[in-house]
Amino acid sequence: MPSPADKERPFVVRNAGRESSRKSHPPPVVSEASFHTSPVDAMLYELIAVVRPGSLNEVREIARNAGIQVLRSGGVVRGYTNWGTFRLPKPTTKHQARYTDGHHFIMRFDASGPVQSAVRRTLGLDPRMIRFSVVKLGDKLEDIKDVEGKVEWTNVRKIADSI
């Protein structure tokens, strides 16, 4: 049975014939409170996601999970936009499957940087995702106060807009 003195003794690391002694430290604890967003550090982000085509329920579930993750961390979801299924710019291989079409949706949300990183990590691990991108639209209140949650898709270009 180990003595109480053994518990307080630092462990020994043997490294290529040399011995060094150091104390072990527990890994840092990241509390859920560190992800909560205060109004000061909230930034506006836009998530553009492409999900494998086929089931609208899969798209809903992915969008819902991303939104719930933002809300549980103290962020705000401004809105979702479903763009539907259309052809990708070039064929893409993801998880040993080749895709030429994808179901696109957009989610606009206000959150802190760590929350945005957590959403990216979650989406990156989901095998149903083909591609996604998170873009910061602004961090100053003057820039983001009038931005709506819905993103309209228009195929029509006006000649006056390009001049």
Side-chain angles (χ1 to χ4, degrees), residues 15 46 53 61 94 102 142:
N15 190 4
E46 182 175 80
E61 184 182 347
K94 189 74 171 198
E142 297 84 33

Side-chain angles (χ1 to χ4, degrees), residues 99-120:
Y99 298 101
T100 55
D101 297 326
H103 194 105
H104 295 66
F105 77 89
I106 293 181
M107 179 178 82
R108 283 198 174 155
F109 62 97
D110 295 293
S112 65
V115 174
Q116 179 263 146
S117 297
V119 169
R120 290 177 58 88

Side-chain angles (χ1 to χ4, degrees), residues 88 90-100 129-131:
L88 298 173
K90 62 180 184 177
T92 304
T93 302
K94 189 74 171 198
H95 300 292
Q96 299 179 351
R98 193 145 176 90
Y99 298 101
T100 55
M129 293 294 302
I130 296 175
R131 190 170 294 269

Side-chain angles (χ1 to χ4, degrees), residues 25 60 64 72 85 110:
H25 298 286
R60 283 188 188 135
R64 185 180 308 123
R72 285 188 178 158
T85 303
D110 295 293

Side-chain angles (χ1 to χ4, degrees), residues 152-162:
E152 295 299 327
W153 173 267
T154 60
N155 285 332
V156 180
R157 278 195 169 171
K158 297 178 184 173
I159 295 175
D161 292 341
S162 62

